[in-house]
Amino acid sequence: MEEESLFRYPLRPPGDARAERREPFVETVREQLRNILDIALPLEGERVVEVDGFRLLGPERGRHGLQDGRRRGTPAPPLPAARGAALENMDNVSLYEPRIAFLARQLESLLSLVQLECGGRPVEVDAFRLRRPSDWADAPVDDPADILNHAATRCRCDCIFCYNKGSLPSLTQPAREADIEWKYLEEQLRHYNPRARRGLFPRFGGPRDVLAHPHALPLLRALREKSDRPLRFSTSGDNLTTEVVSALAELAPLSLDLSLNSSSPARRSYLMRDPRPETAIRSLPLLAAAGIPYAVTVVAWPQPSLEEMLRDLGETCRYAADNHARLVQVNLPGYSRFFSPRPLFDSELVWEETVHRVQELRRELPCPIVVSPSMYEENLTRSRKNLAEVTGVVPGSPAARGGLRAGDVILEMNGIRVRNRPQARDLLTLFQQSGQDLISVTVRRNGGSASLRLHAGDHRYPYEPCTSSHLGAVFMGTGLRSSYLEDLRGMIAASGARSVLFLTSRLVRPTFEQLLAEHPSAVPGDVDFRLDVPENRYFGGNIILGDLLVVQDFIDHLREYAAAEGRRPDLVVIPSSPFQLSRWGRDLTGRPYLDIGRETGMRVRLLECRPIWE
Ligand code: SF4
């Protein structure tokens, strides 16, 4: 019997006479190069070069044209110089548009075999541009804020806790001068289609202060011309002068997230190294007078001491409430190992004390105060999770004017029984979008019940219908949808698995366990179902968010699980949210989730779900 080779090669279609005369390998290179050059414009330094031929780098060094294997390519003059600009960070590109990273790898691979030529002159291609950017303008750009993010590349403050310190390589953006950045922004604007909610590329990376960009106002005006959707962005507030606030007021609807951190000039200077802290602090009454709804954000950073932070938190929340802030968001302080390899403080103590202080302040102040991540507060202080409990109401909102109060638990809306928080939020959004004016609400209050009537059209500043989808009711985060369990059940049934491992996070686990107890049929009785929480080893520090787990964390956890148990589960289910930032199913390092199954040999499925943060 003849020996068979495992190596397989495709055959050319019969009847291709030229194939007889050409070397198959040269043909392969030519075809691949032509395909790549149809998409990419090669660059030699700053210049675009029209590649028209190549030579193999091996012993056979004859020249091969690109258009026809039997004749030399026609020399093409170099095109005008490309814009001087820093090259893209390919780690970042791998995250948001891995097709371009693939193209780069293909070209690099060819360049290891061939010398490219232009009119017989060797050209040293070291980069490329996209030939037709419009071919790539299919990224989901849902909101003008996605375009604004491209301008959020600088900040005049230097917070001691800034999350941009020790950023991941995949999230680092190339530094560019403001005028060159403006050209990129113009390109983004050209390809932004608000109706189709599509655009060129999303920007991944820690956003800084949009208003610190010298072209911020022209960009905001250009966006306002393209879209009537609300413009929402974060700012340190360090240049929110009377003139800037007046200019912003003309761009309504618009809302700001103001990183105030402290209403005390001394503490703001200490935390944010802001040389002119008064500008941001004085901007609150200016924003209110201009009718611009804004939220105040505070990072509860426990330095120089926990006591000072807690005392200042009270004063800052009071100042925000006095100046008609829509909401105050208190961020529990977090840091990764890239920020500090050593523990910086007793995280649990700081987080718990902060939550308790916020709960005290909620009883004293009219404006809603939320803790982020809100599930931490829920796990710490609520034995029953996922309730439609209102933690605050935006002053002037239909919810506030209709009599809804912090502490109310919504039981019924327009005769529909409300079972959990996601349902309450969905119903409020639905009623608001349907244009329905009157909504009857029954709530549990102080051990009894109360009936309320909310008028969707009855509101005033700082509530703004287009920036709030729950009529001004504020909840402890999104909650978990019971529909996830239906999806899980379908997934288990389709797989035929007898043992299932569900990986979640420390924050979500208690609510997920409660949902499972409420819906016991979600997992067939004969299935061995386990819940487990991988460690956030990659980000390290005090990070506990499941959405910051990366592929390697899951791989490590599954290997250790299999070693400890002495067996592998038939099916591993992971919530999709850690891989949703990139529409290519990649984690924050740019690695595809499919690597989890490839590396562990386990069957891995993603359960579609939304992030728990807002
Ligand atoms: S305001 Fe935000 S972006 Fe600016 S330094 Fe502070 S944390 Fe960083």
Side-chain angles (χ1 to χ4, degrees):
M1 183 188 281
E2 279 186 44
E3 195 182 357
E4 283 188 349
S5 170
L6 283 173
F7 294 98
R8 298 161 64 234
Y9 303 97
L11 295 174
R12 294 178 175 282
D16 185 348
R18 287 180 304 162
E20 306 291 322
R21 297 195 296 272
R22 296 183 198 172
E23 290 179 61
F25 181 73
V26 169
E27 273 302 292
T28 305
V29 170
R30 178 182 289 120
E31 192 62 33
Q32 195 175 359
L33 203 46
R34 272 202 303 236
N35 288 339
I36 292 173
L37 295 178
D38 183 47
I39 304 173
L41 283 168
L43 297 174
E44 188 182 35
E46 294 274 302
R47 299 178 72 81
V48 174
V49 285
E50 200 63 54
V51 171
D52 56 13
F54 63 91
R55 288 174 201 273
L56 291 177
L57 293 173
E60 190 279 298
R61 298 187 57 84
R63 187 178 195 277
H64 304 281
L66 265 192
Q67 299 310 320
D68 186 326
R70 290 162 297 172
R71 64 185 164 82
R72 293 167 71 93
T74 313
L79 294 178
R83 291 192 289 261
L87 295 169
E88 298 298 316
N89 169 4
M90 289 309 282
D91 286 330
N92 193 245
V93 173
S94 297
L95 186 55
Y96 68 75
E97 190 41 277
R99 288 177 295 180
I100 294 177
F102 172 78
L103 206 57
R105 282 197 300 275
Q106 294 287 302
L107 200 47
E108 284 162 5
S109 166
L110 277 176
L111 290 174
S112 70
L113 290 174
V114 302
Q115 168 70 60
L116 299 181
E117 294 189 349
C118 171
R121 177 181 74 84
V123 288
E124 300 308 326
V125 170
D126 51 14
F128 65 89
R129 285 166 53 188
L130 298 173
R131 197 176 277 277
R132 291 175 297 275
S134 55
D135 288 352
W136 303 83
D138 61 349
V141 178
D142 190 34
D143 195 287
D146 294 333
I147 303 288
L148 286 171
N149 259 345
H150 289 274
T153 52
R154 53 200 77 210
C155 184
R156 282 181 291 257
C157 293
D158 179 22
C159 296
I160 58 177
F161 46 74
C162 182
Y163 44 80
N164 288 303
K165 291 174 184 163
S167 190
L168 294 184
S170 60
L171 298 181
T172 308
Q173 303 285 339
R176 296 187 169 108
E177 287 175 15
D179 287 347
I180 291 181
E181 255 176 3
W182 174 243
K183 293 189 186 308
Y184 279 81
L185 290 166
E186 285 181 314
E187 190 164 334
Q188 288 287 347
L189 279 167
R190 250 193 321 278
H191 294 286
Y192 173 42
N193 181 345
R195 192 162 298 171
R197 300 191 166 188
R198 298 279 154 191
L200 202 47
F201 302 123
R203 179 181 189 272
F204 291 147
R208 292 180 165 86
D209 183 354
V210 172
L211 290 181
H213 199 285
H215 299 284
L217 285 174
L219 174 64
L220 286 162
R221 290 185 186 115
L223 275 170
R224 176 48 71 237
E225 276 180 26
K226 281 202 98 156
S227 165
D228 56 6
R229 297 191 67 193
L231 302 170
R232 180 178 171 180
F233 55 91
S234 301
T235 175
S236 72
D238 81 320
N239 69 342
L240 280 176
T241 57
T242 311
E243 295 73 34
V244 172
V245 170
S246 306
L248 292 178
E250 289 172 16
L251 297 168
L254 170 141
S255 73
L256 297 184
D257 295 305
L258 175 57
S259 303
L260 186 64
N261 292 307
S262 174
S263 58
S264 142
R267 182 160 171 82
R268 181 171 156 103
S269 290
Y270 166 74
L271 288 176
M272 300 180 69
R273 299 190 181 120
D274 180 357
R276 297 184 311 276
E278 290 81 8
T279 305
I281 295 168
R282 287 191 202 124
S283 72
L284 275 69
L286 294 179
L287 291 167
I292 298 175
Y294 67 96
V296 161
T297 60
V298 177
V299 176
W301 198 256
Q303 287 176 347
S305 71
L306 176 59
E307 293 68 32
E308 180 171 336
M309 180 275 284
L310 293 172
R311 184 191 49 73
D312 185 75
L313 181 62
E315 289 171 14
T316 302
C317 289
R318 195 173 307 282
Y319 181 71
D322 288 348
N323 285 290
H324 313 289
R326 185 171 59 84
L327 178 142
V328 178
Q329 177 173 313
V330 178
N331 297 322
L332 298 179
Y335 59 90
S336 72
R337 68 184 166 94
F338 304 103
F339 183 90
S340 170
R342 291 178 306 282
L344 292 176
F345 43 80
D346 181 339
S347 298
E348 298 293 342
L349 174 73
V350 170
W351 295 343
E352 287 183 20
E353 292 289 322
T354 305
V355 166
H356 293 315
R357 182 75 184 112
V358 165
Q359 293 190 332
E360 282 170 11
L361 291 166
R362 279 195 197 128
R363 290 191 282 276
E364 298 167 18
L365 300 173
C367 99
I369 309 174
V370 297
V371 170
S372 179
S374 49
M375 265 190 170
Y376 182 85
E377 178 185 2
E378 187 167 31
N379 293 341
L380 183 69
T381 62
R382 302 290 191 276
S383 55
R384 182 135 190 85
K385 328 285 182 217
N386 227 21
L387 281 178
E389 179 187 338
V390 175
T391 49
V393 286
V394 178
S397 65
R401 292 166 76 82
L404 201 66
R405 293 187 208 155
D408 287 349
V409 177
I410 298 177
L411 302 175
E412 201 175 277
M413 272 190 270
N414 280 359
I416 302 169
R417 190 173 153 218
V418 173
R419 290 182 167 77
N420 54 39
R421 186 153 72 239
Q423 189 196 2
R425 291 163 54 95
D426 286 350
L427 283 173
L428 283 168
T429 306
L430 198 73
F431 293 142
Q432 185 172 358
Q433 287 174 349
S434 69
Q436 196 166 339
D437 182 48
L438 191 62
I439 299 148
S440 61
V441 181
T442 306
V443 298
R444 191 171 72 225
R445 179 181 291 172
N446 301 329
S449 67
S451 296
L452 312 169
R453 287 155 78 85
L454 312 187
H455 288 270
D458 180 20
H459 58 81
R460 56 181 161 78
Y461 183 82
Y463 175 79
E464 174 60 56
C466 61
T467 57
S468 168
S469 51
H470 304 119
L471 298 175
V474 176
F475 299 92
M476 219 176 265
T478 59
L480 276 196
R481 294 169 184 279
S482 43
S483 62
Y484 295 157
L485 291 188
E486 289 158 30
D487 297 344
L488 178 65
R489 184 182 171 79
M491 196 176 272
I492 294 173
S495 71
R498 286 283 156 268
S499 60
V500 177
L501 178 63
F502 185 89
L503 297 182
T504 181
S505 69
R506 175 188 148 179
L507 285 177
V508 173
R509 181 177 191 149
T511 309
F512 198 82
E513 284 175 334
Q514 181 188 299
L515 269 186
L516 279 172
E518 288 168 354
H519 301 83
S521 63
V523 177
D526 56 348
V527 169
D528 173 19
F529 186 85
R530 310 263 184 103
L531 272 181
D532 225 346
V533 174
E535 208 182 316
N536 285 68
R537 280 187 197 155
Y538 182 77
F539 275 94
N542 65 356
I543 302 296
I544 55 172
L545 283 173
D547 288 356
L548 294 183
L549 287 165
V550 301
V551 165
Q552 193 59 46
D553 290 327
F554 289 109
I555 291 171
D556 292 346
H557 185 83
L558 289 174
R559 283 187 177 142
E560 288 163 19
Y561 179 91
E565 294 286 317
R567 67 189 176 99
R568 297 164 165 203
D570 297 338
L571 178 68
V572 177
V573 183
I574 300 174
S576 64
S577 52
F579 309 105
Q580 272 176 350
L581 188 62
S582 153
R583 63 184 168 137
W584 293 90
R586 290 172 178 245
D587 68 10
L588 282 169
T589 67
R591 195 169 173 193
Y593 88 87
L594 289 169
D595 277 1
I596 302 170
R598 289 170 184 153
E599 294 241 349
T600 60
M602 298 185 201
R603 188 154 42 138
V604 176
R605 294 283 178 275
L606 292 188
L607 182 72
E608 279 304 316
C609 63
R610 296 188 195 165
I612 55 166
W613 38 268
E614 297 183 88

